[in-house]
């Protein structure tokens, strides 16, 4: 009887726990619009470490900031609490706070293209303050009593004054109605098209040599709230200011040696062609494409006789002048500040190398031509390289450069949703691209690309399409076009190329 009583008490406890759990779940359910999918919303910050009042002590104009407004803010209060974010005359009611811990230099470079402030290599807390659609400001916390504020194109140094906060009647203008709604992209409902360039990895042949990398282009269009069937064409189709260009890598044997050369041709202008050839015979030349923009391509190459799928160096080449193995050095392409950033990153990397590693690498002086473009968390980054002395057995060492790729390299590289929300929808995501009207996001995994709509700044979790990738295939180009007339024009070009490919 005692044993039965113990069992009964256990059952009562289990039932109580289940009831409590069900009630908690009921209180935290997420609404799901009918037939529109669930919208993922990032959780609010449980503890607001930037809570309180702050004072701006000085500032730097970053881009489009207004100096008079910045001067005025030096005389006014800035405060944050769970109900109100207030900066000078402006406030945001019921703000959303999203906290991330990351390198502040990386954040400034990739979110704001800002390189003039060096905050060291230590990760810090960065709080983004937003409404449903737009970022109101970003706060970089340096310690409990100081931080940096990025607001309306200006970077402010802040000092905490006290724990009190402002109220709506203390401030003035509600930015939710004044700024945020006005800033919604007017092209949100327009047709969208995108050319996606894909590269597949090399395969080892029965001879022991490596075959060519494969390249193809996908054309995907979205019109009248409908995703059209993707179209595939061979090689890489690049949209430029002066029309469309085709880029491919020819894999040939030249007097017993592998000779890979770029063939760059303007569509419908077959006489305009540019090729890369080895400067001298007597070695294999392998070349790969890592990135393609409107005017430049990022490449990597190997010259030697024992290729093991490692590349000796990186290069950036102009699309319409790929006749030489000499790349464009970073200073010539992006300016003196970019070259300084390259040197600082190179110097830090060399300083962190062991004695044994230095003996394997060419560390005598930085090679300002030895850099490329890589993807990380939905953004293009510039990466430098220290090449190995023995290129056949060592791949060298790469290092990130804290300098943003300007419009000379990338036209559109903004994510309209956070990387955290992308990982919530697709945990296996390795990359993502968003249309520049903020309507679609293409989320890349190792074996496919899932396509989702964005509504009110959040991802609608019902996928509207999937593109299957080949084994070890990666994205090297993503070029968007918006508005019906332009999408129709690009679609016509793709159809003409597909029709010409069918002809014998």
């Amino acid at each position: 009887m005692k044993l039965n009583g113990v069992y009964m008490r256990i059952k009562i406890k289990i039932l109580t726990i289940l009831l409590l759990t069900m009630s908690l779940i009921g209180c935290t359910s997420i609404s799901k619009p009918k037939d529109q999918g669930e919208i993922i919303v990032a959780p609010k910050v449980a503890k607001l470490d930037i809570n309180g009042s702050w004072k701006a002590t000085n500032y730097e104009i970053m881009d489009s900031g207004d100096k008079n407004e910045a001067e005025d803010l030096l005389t006014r209060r800035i405060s944050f609490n769970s109900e109100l974010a207030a900066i000078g005359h402006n406030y945001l009611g019921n703000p959303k706070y999203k906290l991330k811990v990351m390198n502040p230099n990386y954040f400034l470079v990739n979110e704001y293209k800002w390189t003039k402030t060096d905050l060291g290599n230590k990760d810090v807390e960065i709080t983004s303050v937003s409404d449903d659609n737009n970022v109101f400001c970003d706060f970089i916390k340096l310690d409990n009593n100081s931080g940096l504020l990025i607001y309306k194109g200006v970077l402010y140094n802040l000092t905490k004054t006290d724990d009190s906060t402002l109220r709506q009647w203390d401030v003035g203008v509600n930015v939710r109605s004044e700024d945020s709604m006005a800033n919604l992209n007017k092209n949100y409902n327009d047709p969208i098209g995108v050319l996606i360039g894909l590269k597949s990895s090399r395969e080892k042949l029965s001879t022991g040599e490596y075959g060519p990398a494969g390249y193809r282009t996908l054309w995907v269009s979205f019109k009248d709230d409908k995703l059209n069937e993707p179209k595939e064409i061979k090689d890489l189709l690049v949209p430029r200011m002066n029309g469309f260009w085709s880029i491919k890598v020819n894999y040939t044997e030249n007097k017993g040696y592998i000779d890979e050369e770029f063939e760059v041709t303007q569509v419908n202008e077959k006489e305009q062609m540019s090729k890369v050839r080895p400067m001298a015979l007597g070695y294999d030349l392998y070349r790969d494409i890592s990135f393609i923009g409107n005017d430049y391509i990022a490449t990597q190459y190997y010259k030697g006789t024992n290729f093991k799928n490692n590349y000796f160096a990186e290069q950036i080449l102009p699309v319409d002048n790929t006749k030489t193995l000499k790349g464009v050095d970073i200073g010539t392409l992006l300016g003196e500040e970019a070259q300084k950033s390259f040197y600082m990153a190179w110097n830090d990397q060399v300083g962190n190398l062991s004695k044994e590693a230095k003996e394997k690498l060419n560390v005598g002086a930085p090679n300002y031509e030895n850099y490329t473009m890589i993807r990380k968390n939905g953004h293009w980054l510039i990466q430098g390289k220290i090449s190995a002395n023995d290129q056949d057995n060592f791949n060298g060492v790469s290092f990130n450069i804290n300098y943003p790729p300007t419009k000379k390299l990338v036209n559109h590289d903004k994510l309209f949703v956070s990387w955290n929300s992308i990982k919530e929808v697709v945990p296996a995501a390795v990359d993502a691209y968003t249309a520049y009207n903020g309507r679609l996001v293409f989320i890349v995994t190792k074996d496919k690309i899932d396509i989702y709509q964005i509504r009110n700044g959040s991802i609608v979790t019902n996928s509207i399409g999937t593109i299957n990738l080949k084994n070890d295939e990666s994205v090297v180009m993503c070029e968007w076009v918006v508005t019906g007339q332009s999408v129709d024009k690009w679609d016509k070009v793709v159809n003409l190329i597909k029709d010409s490919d069918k002809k014998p």
Side-chain angles (χ1 to χ4, degrees):
M1 293 295 292
K2 289 183 179 180
L3 192 60
N4 289 336
V6 171
Y7 285 149
M8 182 61 69
R9 285 195 296 273
I10 292 173
K11 288 181 179 180
I12 292 172
K13 288 182 179 180
I14 293 173
L15 181 61
T16 303
I17 291 170
L18 288 173
L19 289 172
L20 285 171
T21 303
M22 291 175 66
S23 66
L24 286 172
I25 293 173
C27 292
T28 58
S29 62
I30 301 174
S31 61
K32 182 175 180 179
K34 185 177 180 182
D35 299 327
Q36 294 181 352
E38 181 181 329
I39 298 177
I40 292 292
V41 180
K44 290 186 176 181
V45 176
K47 180 184 177 183
L48 185 60
D49 285 342
I50 64 173
N51 190 90
S53 286
W54 302 77
K55 177 179 175 56
T57 57
N58 53 61
Y59 66 87
E60 290 186 84
I61 303 294
M62 300 177 73
D63 183 14
S64 57
D66 183 88
K67 183 177 180 180
N68 292 330
E69 186 175 354
E71 287 285 345
D72 180 68
L73 191 55
L74 296 180
T75 67
R76 303 189 182 279
R77 286 174 66 185
I78 298 166
S79 82
F80 303 96
N81 61 37
S82 60
E83 298 178 353
L84 195 78
I87 300 177
H89 290 297
N90 300 328
Y91 75 85
L92 178 65
N94 297 316
K96 295 181 179 179
Y97 295 99
K98 298 177 183 178
L99 178 67
K100 47 195 167 189
V101 178
M102 63 187 303
N103 182 284
N105 294 325
Y106 175 86
F107 174 77
L108 288 171
V109 166
N110 291 285
E111 293 297 328
Y112 292 98
K113 313 302 181 187
W114 182 253
T115 62
K116 296 180 181 179
T117 302
D118 187 0
L119 300 174
N121 295 320
K122 183 179 178 181
D123 287 350
V124 299
E125 293 181 355
I126 301 174
T127 302
S128 290
V129 187
S130 66
D131 65 359
D132 288 333
N133 304 301
N134 297 280
V135 173
F136 178 51
C137 66
D138 281 308
F139 191 108
I140 300 175
K141 184 180 178 183
L142 302 179
D143 56 46
N144 290 333
N145 295 306
S146 65
L148 298 174
L149 177 75
I150 303 102
Y151 177 64
K152 288 189 174 183
V154 181
L155 178 67
Y156 297 91
N157 284 81
L158 298 187
T159 299
K160 189 169 185 179
T161 56
D162 55 66
D163 291 328
S164 66
T165 55
L166 295 169
R167 298 159 295 181
Q168 289 185 10
W169 51 86
D170 295 322
V171 195
V173 180
N174 184 347
V175 298
R176 187 185 298 277
S177 57
E178 180 175 288
D179 287 340
S180 300
M181 298 308 293
N183 286 336
L184 285 175
N185 199 308
K186 295 178 182 178
N187 302 118
Y188 177 81
N189 292 315
D190 284 357
I192 302 167
V194 61
L195 286 169
I196 303 174
L198 296 169
K199 177 184 73 175
S200 55
S201 299
R202 298 176 185 272
E203 293 184 2
K204 198 169 186 178
L205 306 177
S206 58
T207 59
E209 297 176 332
Y210 282 88
Y215 297 91
R216 61 177 178 142
T217 303
L218 298 179
W219 165 247
V220 185
S221 59
F222 179 84
K223 191 175 183 180
D224 299 325
D225 292 333
K226 178 185 176 183
L227 189 73
N228 297 312
E229 188 71 22
K231 299 175 182 178
E232 178 182 342
I233 53 180
K234 63 181 181 179
D235 304 319
L236 296 167
L237 179 65
V238 184
R240 306 185 66 202
M241 291 294 292
N242 58 350
F244 289 84
W245 291 63
S246 171
I247 299 179
K248 63 181 178 179
V249 183
N250 289 326
Y251 180 94
T252 59
E253 187 174 322
N254 183 4
K255 296 185 178 180
Y257 295 98
I258 299 301
D259 175 11
E260 288 194 330
E261 55 185 16
F262 294 133
E263 183 178 308
V264 183
T265 308
Q266 188 172 5
V267 175
N268 298 326
E269 298 289 341
K270 295 298 183 181
E271 71 277 8
Q272 296 191 28
M273 185 175 294
S274 172
K275 295 183 179 181
V276 166
R277 295 185 182 277
M279 292 183 290
L281 298 176
Y283 56 79
D284 294 323
L285 174 64
Y286 288 86
R287 300 190 69 95
D288 246 7
I289 297 174
S290 308
F291 158 83
I292 298 180
N294 296 136
D295 297 314
Y296 293 92
I297 60 176
T299 70
Q300 49 189 353
Y301 71 91
Y302 168 92
K303 291 191 300 179
T305 57
N306 190 25
F307 181 59
K308 297 180 180 178
N309 211 18
N310 293 330
Y311 296 90
F312 171 67
E314 319 279 3
Q315 281 183 329
I316 301 288
L317 298 172
V319 169
D320 42 7
N321 184 21
T322 56
K323 295 181 179 179
T324 174
L325 285 177
K326 184 175 175 61
V328 183
D329 72 85
I330 195 169
T332 299
L333 181 60
L334 301 177
E336 183 180 348
E337 289 298 322
Q339 184 165 314
K340 288 180 180 178
S341 297
F342 186 107
Y343 176 79
M344 291 174 61
W346 173 87
N347 194 48
D348 286 344
Q349 182 64 65
V350 171
N352 291 326
L353 292 172
S354 65
K355 181 180 178 181
E356 292 77 12
K358 288 180 181 178
E359 291 174 352
K360 296 180 180 180
L361 297 166
N362 185 1
V363 295
N367 178 0
Y368 294 112
E369 293 180 20
N370 200 358
Y371 65 103
T372 188
M373 299 277 282
I374 65 165
R375 290 289 292 185
K376 184 176 181 181
N377 294 354
H379 292 288
W380 287 108
L381 306 177
I382 304 176
Q383 186 180 77
K385 185 171 184 177
I386 305 173
S387 294
N389 295 320
D390 178 8
Q391 63 172 331
D392 291 335
N393 296 300
F394 190 36
N395 196 30
V397 173
S398 298
F399 54 90
N400 291 335
I401 301 169
N402 279 326
Y403 195 86
T406 67
K407 288 188 178 295
K408 286 186 175 181
L409 288 170
V410 183
N411 271 327
H412 303 289
D413 192 34
K414 179 179 175 60
L415 275 182
F416 284 87
V417 288
S418 71
W419 182 250
N420 286 341
S421 66
I422 289 169
K423 294 290 282 186
E424 287 182 35
V425 176
V426 182
V430 295
D431 199 1
Y433 299 81
T434 50
Y436 63 83
N437 68 339
R439 181 65 184 269
L440 298 179
V441 55
F442 285 50
I443 302 179
V444 185
T445 65
K446 288 184 177 181
D447 56 4
K448 62 180 179 177
I449 301 175
D450 289 318
I451 306 169
Y452 296 85
Q453 292 195 65
I454 300 171
R455 187 176 296 112
N456 296 327
S458 299
I459 302 173
V460 181
T461 58
N462 280 354
S463 170
I464 62 171
T466 296
I467 299 169
N468 292 321
L469 298 177
K470 298 178 182 178
N471 188 36
D472 290 329
E473 199 168 33
S474 60
V475 177
V476 297
M477 180 188 75
C478 190
E479 292 289 340
W480 298 92
V481 64
V482 173
T483 71
Q485 185 176 3
S486 299
V487 171
D488 290 343
K489 179 180 178 181
W490 286 31
D491 189 64
K492 183 178 179 181
V493 172
V494 170
N495 288 334
L496 287 173
I497 294 173
K498 283 183 66 67
D499 289 342
S500 65
D501 288 343
K502 293 177 182 177
K503 295 178 181 179

